[in-house]
Amino acid sequence: MKVPIWVFVVVAVLATAFVLRIGAEELDQSHQTERIADDPVGRLKVFVYELPSKYNKKILQKDPRCLTHMFAAEIFMHWFLLSSPVRTLNPEEADWFYTPVYTTCDLTPNGLPLPFKSPRMMRSAIQLISSNWPFWNRTEGADHFFVVPHDFGACFHYQEEKAIERGILPLLQRATLVQTFGQRNHVCLNEGSITIPPYAPPQKMQAHLIPPDTPRSIFVYFRGLFYDVGNDPEGGYYARGARASVWENFKNNPLFDISTEHPTTYYEDMQRAVFCLCPLGWAPWSPRLVEGVIFGCIPVIIADDIVLPFADAIPWEEIGVFVAEKDVPKLDTILTSIPPEVVLRKQRLLANPSMKQAMLFPQPAQPGDAFHQILNGLARKLPRDKSIHLKPGEKILNWTAGPVGDLKPW
Amino acid sequence: MKLSQQQNCNTRRNNSFRTTGPLDSSVDSAFKPLASFFWVVLHGLCCLISLVLGFRFSRLIFFLLFSTNTTSTTNHYTVPALLRTTSDATQTLTLQTPPVLITDTPSNRTNPATTSSRVVVGRHGILIRPWPHPNPIEVMKAHRIIERVQREQRLQYGVKNPRPLIIVTPTYIRTFQTLHLTGLMHSLMLVPYDLTWIVVEAGGTTKETAALLEKSGLRTIHIGFEERMPITWEARHRMETRMRLRALRVVREQRLDGIVMFADDGNTHSMELFDEIQSVKWIGALSVGILAHSGNSDESSSLLQKQEDEENLPLPVQGPACNSSGQLVGWHTFNSLPYVEKSATYIDDRAIVLPRKLEWAGFVLNSKLVWKDIEDKPEWVKDLDKLVADEEDLDSPLSLLEDTSVVEPLGNCGRKILLWWLRVEARADSKFPPGLVFFFSNSFSVVYILLPCYLYFFVLYILLPLSDTGYDQRYYMFFLFPWHFLVVISFYLHLMSDDLPECIHMAYS
């Protein structure tokens, strides 16, 4: 039988494409493991704007709880940059510009941040820097970065519907946002944002370490709310019904140590567990991921379309287990069908100290920690093409866009 | 779900009773049955609807009737599985065509790019599988995963190159022997290292002890020691020492390799002990907690309690004493002076049993110390054969050494107590409680005990119900109690008779 020649050509092309794709994947993976160990010093220069202290120091003085809650990354980033070798005092040679404004430091008596004044605060800060320095107007903020660690990032609201309604603050549309929130195809995540882990106090976690030969005897561990009784008693809104589903399906299962208690031995128990559930809450991210990585407990992430911190540097697929929200009733089947070798491999990857270091914000900063990973992420975006510089007279941002309440001065 | 339904029904019931309560007693009685009938019907209908739907629908009705303008932003991701099946069934309800439940015009405020996302904001259903209970096969798989993880942990962080253990236990047959040996046996079965258990039995080996050791599944060497155990505690301690030396002779002859540990059958060992002794090089010493109070007699214990409260004595501990840099400088020994008058001399005494100055149980040896000719044997150890031949009283393994400063203190330099010393023996006239196994082991017992029992139950449960007589008090008196009486009497007669089998005698002695 005579086979036409074009068949061979097609097959050859497909084969080479296949091989190249596999090769690219492997290359990608090895890139990922190298990326954690990158050193940003010398690869970029950051200029820190001098804002009046009402934007940063005075707010912190009013409420020092901002240093220990999970949004403390914005403050520690500022302190780190002030004394870091990547800082430059000459703005002409800077690649990136940082604005130290603490938008998540207006706390309720309970300790939760109120985001209502944050848009105005941010807007006022941007107005300040655009009028006192020429660098904002040069690129309309494309070479500026801001740390916005709140629930939905720069959408500045804790309720998802309202946050989607508001969208990202119009003035920040061109800037790079460093935020904890990450969900694919969501308004509040811009292309090119850097996702970071929430702040977890390193000394507190170090103080609760137990000897590593303590046998891990809990199969699945979780402590937290399943039904947010104050805001959503029936369930279905909170966590998109996923947490309620976990409770209803597995409350009688002896393998699942799940409850709403607040034990004092929370960290110790995590170190005695093989899997730790990290389901979404009102927002898809939570400090449980950080705690799981530090304590060597494999995170089971139940949040559709979530973007995990430093996703381009840390191979989350190999470390954690991803479960779709619709598969929650089958969670026990999924977890018990993981072969033990895969479990051991994940634990070995988690035991890697560089992984743990990349999730923490230690004071003072150490090489390989989360600050350096943020700088790595920023450095990877360089060099830029010149198109971000606006031509004279060109304006892209609309300074009057957004809800009327945001336009009031702060 | 079911609970909330029941609650719903209950509250409904309460409501209905409240309205037709005593306040209405003066009202025309003709209306009462009608009103209550109406409430019952409504209540039944509501319960039926809830049953069919699978959830309380009252809140949904309120939501429909009284909800404000939030309908536009509530898109629904999935209609919950239950609602999906029941929406076909129910036609009588206003929520049959649920205008709010199914997605009406999606709000324009959601980002148009969300069309490619699977995630939508709004109320979602809580997915529950039909049988939310654990599957036993999956539970076994999970346990296998946990076991593998723990094994890996032990490999990584636990003791590297674990050496086999040699446990030396002197014992003799007595009432509490099974009790003590079973406890020790289970502790040893939990040890994750290779184990050889040398049991030296005074009075020769017995079948009962051998049967017990068989059940453990451990590698045991059961040695008989010709003399019987004496009855004074002093003599017993000396004899136990000789039995231990006999076991060490076996180690020497068979050239068993490993770490020798002395586990007396009354003691309690913790699992960390076995991990800790792996770190011994030649000879190590541990702290032993002494539980000297046997709590037999009320007067002596209460006296001692008062003394204790006065002097605030903590648990007495025997073991190595270290200075601040972690080197051995001396020994904590048991101070027996406060107890001397009240201590027990004979086994049966209802008084405190005292340990010796330093118990053997607190020491571990490298088995090479007792071997005959090896190259790198340290100079400070005496030869075992010479010691035995000299007939000295070795009150602790320290007598095996020329120089006691080479002993390594274990357990964080003696600060951790990993085993407890205790001697509890039964009174001389005590009887070991017989188990049912003795009844079936002998044909006499079948005749004298089982037959009346069978007859008794036969009459009670088969004859009586089948007969025409009623369950009258008289018949119970006539049938039950005499039989019961007979059964019990025959049992005790049987016990006191002389033609009992050997094993039952043994248990009572």
Side-chain angles (χ1 to χ4, degrees):
Chain A
M1 191 177 87
K2 201 165 182 303
V3 180
I5 199 104
W6 58 267
V7 174
F8 284 122
V9 171
V10 166
V11 166
V13 166
L14 284 177
T16 45
F18 192 58
V19 165
L20 278 176
R21 197 165 154 273
I22 294 182
E25 266 180 31
E26 278 180 11
L27 210 62
D28 207 23
Q29 277 190 6
S30 64
H31 267 167
Q32 276 183 338
T33 46
E34 287 160 17
R35 276 172 170 183
I36 301 184
D38 282 349
D39 189 16
V41 175
R43 288 168 54 196
L44 80 165
K45 296 225 169 291
V46 176
F47 176 72
V48 181
Y49 284 122
E50 280 285 327
L51 288 187
S53 58
K54 71 168 179 171
Y55 289 99
N56 31 52
K57 285 209 196 67
K58 287 228 181 85
I59 299 182
L60 184 57
Q61 269 168 3
K62 254 195 285 185
D63 198 344
R65 280 180 300 179
C66 291
L67 279 175
T68 48
H69 68 174
M70 53 183 163
F71 309 105
E74 58 182 1
I75 304 176
F76 289 120
M77 190 71 193
H78 183 204
W79 290 4
F80 163 66
L81 279 174
L82 285 177
S83 55
S84 156
V86 303
R87 182 191 185 191
T88 167
L89 297 168
N90 177 10
E92 296 298 336
E93 61 169 13
D95 301 308
W96 286 99
F97 295 86
Y98 173 64
T99 320
V101 50
Y102 302 164
T103 51
T104 343
C105 207
D106 180 17
L107 303 184
T108 66
N110 273 348
L112 298 171
L114 290 172
F116 303 120
K117 297 210 198 105
S118 310
R120 290 159 51 197
M121 191 186 340
M122 186 64 89
R123 198 189 153 77
S124 137
I126 295 178
Q127 275 171 338
L128 198 75
I129 60 176
S130 65
S131 48
N132 289 2
W133 287 275
F135 308 105
W136 178 271
N137 293 327
R138 203 168 61 169
T139 54
E140 296 251 287
D143 51 0
H144 289 58
F145 73 93
F146 295 84
V147 181
V148 279
H150 195 241
D151 288 359
F152 288 97
C155 293
F156 291 125
H157 209 277
Y158 50 81
Q159 262 195 342
E160 192 166 2
E161 291 155 13
K162 299 249 170 55
I164 295 178
E165 230 177 271
R166 300 177 59 96
I168 295 185
L169 198 70
L171 293 178
L172 294 175
Q173 285 291 350
R174 283 168 62 87
T176 298
L177 296 171
V178 178
Q179 59 190 44
T180 50
F181 172 74
Q183 190 174 305
R184 283 187 276 272
N185 300 319
H186 198 277
V187 197
C188 299
L189 182 72
N190 247 350
E191 278 298 323
S193 295
I194 298 178
T195 348
I196 61 171
Y199 176 74
Q203 295 92 343
K204 189 164 163 217
M205 295 204 284
Q206 288 291 335
H208 286 272
L209 283 178
I210 61 177
D213 57 346
T214 316
R216 287 186 189 262
S217 46
I218 304 175
F219 192 59
V220 177
Y221 186 77
F222 176 75
R223 289 286 182 272
L225 289 178
F226 297 102
Y227 291 93
D228 186 352
V229 188
N231 300 320
D232 176 34
E234 281 275 343
Y237 272 107
Y238 181 54
R240 295 196 275 270
R243 285 197 186 194
S245 179
V246 167
W247 174 251
E248 298 298 340
N249 280 306
F250 301 113
K251 61 188 176 197
N252 293 321
N253 196 323
L255 298 173
F256 283 67
D257 185 357
I258 56 180
S259 93
T260 50
E261 287 177 354
H262 280 265
T264 45
T265 53
Y266 176 60
Y267 289 146
E268 287 86 345
D269 290 339
M270 256 193 167
Q271 292 169 75
R272 282 179 34 231
V274 178
F275 290 104
C276 288
L277 291 184
C278 303
L280 72 161
W282 287 112
W285 58 271
S286 88
R288 282 185 188 86
L289 185 69
V290 177
E291 287 157 1
V293 170
I294 302 290
F295 294 127
C297 181
I298 302 175
V300 178
I301 297 153
I302 308 174
D304 288 343
D305 286 339
I306 188 174
V307 176
L308 289 175
F310 307 129
D312 49 351
I314 298 182
W316 288 108
E317 286 287 337
E318 297 177 28
I319 297 175
V321 179
F322 287 82
V323 177
E325 285 167 32
K326 64 175 172 41
D327 289 333
V328 166
K330 294 186 276 198
L331 189 61
D332 55 350
T333 316
I334 296 172
L335 290 181
T336 52
S337 61
I338 301 179
E341 306 82 43
V342 174
V343 171
L344 290 178
R345 182 158 174 268
K346 287 187 202 273
Q347 287 191 324
R348 229 174 294 135
L349 285 171
L350 275 173
N352 189 0
S354 60
M355 197 78 63
K356 298 193 211 275
Q357 189 76 312
M359 290 277 114
L360 288 175
F361 292 92
Q363 283 287 48
Q366 288 159 17
D369 67 0
F371 299 118
H372 289 83
Q373 303 298 334
I374 299 175
L375 292 180
N376 281 338
L378 290 171
R380 265 179 241 130
K381 291 175 184 260
L382 302 174
R384 302 193 192 89
D385 59 348
K386 290 294 168 206
S387 64
I388 60 163
H389 287 265
L390 302 176
K391 304 186 207 13
E394 183 184 355
K395 276 180 80 62
I396 302 184
L397 291 182
N398 182 357
W399 284 74
T400 52
V404 178
D406 287 357
L407 301 174
K408 288 197 236 154
W410 181 70
Chain B
M1 293 280 182
K2 287 273 185 205
L3 193 63
S4 64
Q5 254 176 44
Q6 277 171 8
Q7 279 173 359
N8 186 13
C9 289
N10 284 338
T11 50
R12 287 301 190 126
R13 185 178 295 258
N14 289 340
N15 282 336
S16 67
F17 281 156
R18 229 178 281 132
T19 52
T20 61
L23 293 169
D24 297 335
S25 57
S26 59
V27 180
D28 194 1
S29 60
F31 286 143
K32 254 186 24 187
L34 200 63
S36 60
F37 177 67
F38 168 69
W39 276 118
V40 166
V41 164
L42 185 64
H43 164 63
L45 193 67
C46 286
C47 277
L48 221 75
I49 293 169
S50 296
L51 258 175
V52 166
L53 273 185
F55 67 101
R56 271 173 67 175
F57 64 94
S58 54
R59 280 206 194 164
L60 207 51
I61 292 186
F62 285 130
F63 176 60
L64 282 177
L65 292 177
F66 302 121
S67 74
T68 51
N69 66 341
T70 54
T71 53
S72 55
T73 53
T74 56
N75 307 335
H76 283 272
Y77 174 50
T78 54
V79 180
L82 295 164
L83 267 183
R84 223 184 287 131
T85 53
T86 56
S87 57
D88 312 325
T90 58
Q91 279 107 16
T92 58
L93 290 175
T94 54
L95 46 95
Q96 198 266 328
T97 51
V100 183
L101 294 177
I102 300 188
T103 62
D104 48 347
T105 57
S107 154
N108 294 336
R109 279 157 284 186
T110 59
N111 194 10
T114 54
T115 48
S116 57
S117 163
R118 296 175 288 156
V119 173
V120 184
V121 184
R123 162 158 256 126
H124 295 75
I126 303 173
L127 303 171
I128 305 179
R129 67 187 192 200
W131 180 247
H133 291 291
N135 179 347
I137 301 178
E138 281 167 19
V139 173
M140 280 317 299
K141 278 201 253 184
H143 280 292
R144 252 174 250 134
I145 294 178
I146 294 178
E147 219 178 324
R148 185 71 190 83
V149 165
Q150 288 184 358
R151 198 155 28 112
E152 185 70 23
Q153 271 186 291
R154 222 178 294 134
L155 281 175
Q156 289 222 342
Y157 304 109
V159 177
K160 310 266 188 284
N161 310 320
R163 290 177 280 173
L165 299 177
I166 302 165
I167 316 282
V168 171
T169 304
T171 183
Y172 69 102
I173 192 143
R174 61 205 192 271
T175 309
F176 278 2
Q177 187 205 22
T178 315
L179 181 75
H180 292 312
L181 266 189
T182 312
L184 181 59
M185 187 174 84
H186 282 99
S187 299
L188 294 179
M189 278 157 74
L190 282 176
V191 174
Y193 309 114
D194 293 329
L195 191 15
T196 307
W197 192 13
I198 303 182
V199 180
V200 185
E201 192 162 4
T205 60
T206 56
K207 285 205 286 281
E208 279 77 16
T209 319
L212 191 63
L213 297 182
E214 194 77 27
K215 278 195 284 193
S216 66
L218 301 167
R219 182 173 162 227
T220 48
I221 301 177
H222 193 184
I223 304 172
F225 200 72
E226 293 323 316
E227 304 166 32
R228 290 190 78 110
M229 265 296 190
I231 52 173
T232 60
W233 282 109
E234 256 314 300
R236 278 208 178 182
H237 287 309
R238 278 199 290 270
M239 172 109 158
E240 278 176 6
T241 311
R242 295 211 316 272
M243 286 155 76
R244 290 188 190 109
L245 289 174
R246 176 77 178 75
L248 287 181
R249 188 146 61 91
V250 170
V251 171
R252 185 192 179 90
E253 282 160 12
Q254 297 190 12
R255 288 182 91 83
L256 294 174
D257 191 17
I259 301 172
V260 178
M261 193 190 105
F262 300 100
D264 303 336
D265 54 1
N267 294 354
T268 308
H269 310 88
S270 75
M271 286 298 118
E272 286 98 26
L273 170 70
F274 299 103
D275 295 326
E276 187 66 30
I277 61 180
Q278 291 282 347
S279 59
V280 77
K281 204 159 162 301
W282 288 112
I283 176 164
L286 296 155
S287 286
V288 183
I290 305 292
L291 302 171
H293 304 288
S294 23
N296 278 345
S297 138
D298 293 313
E299 316 90 44
S300 69
S301 63
S302 66
L303 213 67
L304 227 66
Q305 275 294 94
K306 263 203 295 184
Q307 241 187 17
E308 227 181 49
D309 294 334
E310 287 164 16
E311 301 169 15
N312 236 350
L313 292 171
L315 173 80
V317 171
Q318 271 183 5
C322 295
N323 61 6
S324 50
S325 56
Q327 285 162 341
L328 184 72
V329 291
W331 300 95
H332 291 297
T333 58
F334 185 72
N335 180 17
S336 44
L337 286 178
Y339 311 109
V340 150
E341 316 83 58
K342 305 176 205 62
S343 74
T345 325
Y346 295 98
I347 306 293
D348 297 14
D349 278 358
R350 302 174 72 193
I352 310 151
V353 181
L354 297 179
R356 319 194 77 201
K357 277 244 169 315
L358 280 175
E359 279 290 320
W360 280 76
F363 291 90
V364 282
L365 314 170
N366 188 341
S367 63
K368 293 203 173 69
L369 285 179
V370 298
W371 286 4
K372 220 189 266 261
D373 310 301
I374 49 170
E375 313 81 43
D376 48 348
K377 194 164 174 175
E379 320 77 43
W380 37 258
V381 66
K382 301 183 196 159
D383 193 35
L384 192 65
D385 285 339
K386 229 167 18 92
L387 279 174
V388 173
D390 284 348
E391 288 284 334
E392 276 178 23
D393 181 20
L394 305 173
D395 54 352
S396 77
L398 292 179
S399 323
L400 283 172
L401 310 172
E402 313 266 354
D403 174 20
T404 55
S405 63
V406 294
V407 176
E408 303 148 36
L410 298 175
N412 194 7
C413 209
R415 277 177 222 117
K416 252 180 117 173
I417 299 180
L418 299 166
L419 76 148
W420 291 266
W421 178 95
L422 176 64
R423 289 280 180 269
V424 175
E425 295 302 341
R427 284 169 37 170
D429 55 345
S430 70
K431 298 208 184 310
F432 192 80
L436 263 179
V437 64
F438 295 129
F439 291 164
F440 293 110
S441 63
N442 186 12
S443 55
F444 289 123
S445 49
V446 170
V447 170
Y448 285 122
I449 295 177
L450 277 188
L451 200 55
C453 282
Y454 283 146
L455 275 175
Y456 167 57
F457 287 120
F458 179 65
V459 165
L460 188 60
Y461 291 114
I462 298 175
L463 274 191
L464 262 185
L466 287 180
S467 69
D468 283 335
T469 58
Y471 288 91
D472 225 352
Q473 197 69 2
R474 294 170 296 161
Y475 291 108
Y476 268 85
M477 290 283 290
F478 184 62
F479 282 113
L480 271 179
F481 292 128
W483 277 113
H484 195 79
F485 191 63
L486 271 177
V487 165
V488 169
I489 287 291
S490 69
F491 173 62
Y492 277 113
L493 281 175
H494 196 60
L495 287 184
M496 291 196 271
S497 74
D498 278 337
D499 52 309
L500 279 178
E502 184 66 37
C503 51
I504 299 188
H505 265 303
M506 281 295 296
Y508 292 161
S509 63

